[in-house]
Amino acid sequence: MASFVIAVDGPAASGKGTIATRLGRELGLPVLDTGLLYRAVGVLTAQAGGNPDDEAAAGATATRLTADLLADPALRTRTAGELASRVAVHRKVRERLLGFQRTFAAQPGGAVLDGRDIGTVICPDAPAKLYVTATPEIRAERRWKQLEGQGEAVAYADVLADIRRRDARDGARDAAPMVAAPDATLLDTTEMTIEQAADAARRIVEAARARWERSH
Ligand code: DC
């Protein structure tokens, strides 16, 4: 049987990570936060003294990336998010991370992947696709609270500026820009609690699963 892949795309702090984690837990599917791959490439490139804006330097790091490097809490910081967005513009980086993501998606039974280009580039045939959004202001508020919880003190206005800058860079790049797949279901979580967003996502996926099972 083909694997049931759930693609959860959307901008930073839209709720896609929490939604992906919950869907994975409820359906018993493995989850890959693909942002961590770009975060790791960004952080490791900078740590090695390389320039994240240099395609060759970031591309070389992407070749060396292994799954065990993804658990580092340093990848969750604000700096790591910015570095990730910078290395993510490079085609070489994206190409080198493609195989890892597709192998993960091809696991028997299926998988959940969250990111920016899962439904468009990594798994264009995924039977379930969500594009999760929220206003920049509400996303900044969520990210600000999350950073505070991690002990990273930062002004709300700076987090909002980060979010806007990353949205602009991720959406405007030539290589796999952040965009909703034409067949993705849009889920705007601006006015939703996380419980409501997770419930809405579950209903979308249940409907997609029923369609998929009829055709397999
Ligand atoms: O989801 P995140 O905030 O951890 O992602 C960090 C950056 O990585 C994001 O600004 C753009 C990049 N990214 C990407 O280009 N493609 C993905 N599939 C996931 C993340």
Side-chain angles (χ1 to χ4, degrees), residues 16 34-35 38-39 81 84-85 88 94 115-117 166 170 173:
K16 66 182 190 311
T34 64
Y38 295 90
R39 286 170 180 261
S85 173
R94 308 200 70 85
R116 302 288 187 292
D117 63 341
R166 275 175 56 190
D170 297 345
R173 67 181 179 226

Side-chain angles (χ1 to χ4, degrees), residues 40-52 61 83 87:
V41 172
V43 169
L44 293 171
T45 303
Q47 273 173 1
N51 177 0
T61 312
L83 287 168
V87 298

Side-chain angles (χ1 to χ4, degrees), residues 47-136:
Q47 273 173 1
N51 177 0
D53 301 319
D54 174 27
E55 179 153 20
T61 312
T63 312
R64 290 197 306 272
L65 198 67
T66 50
D68 56 302
L69 296 169
L70 303 179
D72 187 348
L75 302 185
R76 309 270 175 191
T77 63
R78 191 179 155 213
T79 312
E82 176 65 15
L83 287 168
S85 173
R86 283 165 63 190
V87 298
V89 304
H90 303 310
R91 267 179 212 286
K92 272 197 185 126
V93 170
R94 308 200 70 85
E95 278 163 14
R96 287 170 192 175
L97 299 179
L98 193 73
F100 183 89
Q101 295 173 83
R102 290 219 172 124
T103 302
F104 190 93
Q107 294 182 70
V112 186
L113 286 86
D114 80 81
R116 302 288 187 292
D117 63 341
I118 308 303
T120 50
V121 175
I122 308 295
C123 304
D125 298 328
K129 295 183 186 177
L130 283 98
Y131 193 84
V132 187
T133 59
T135 61

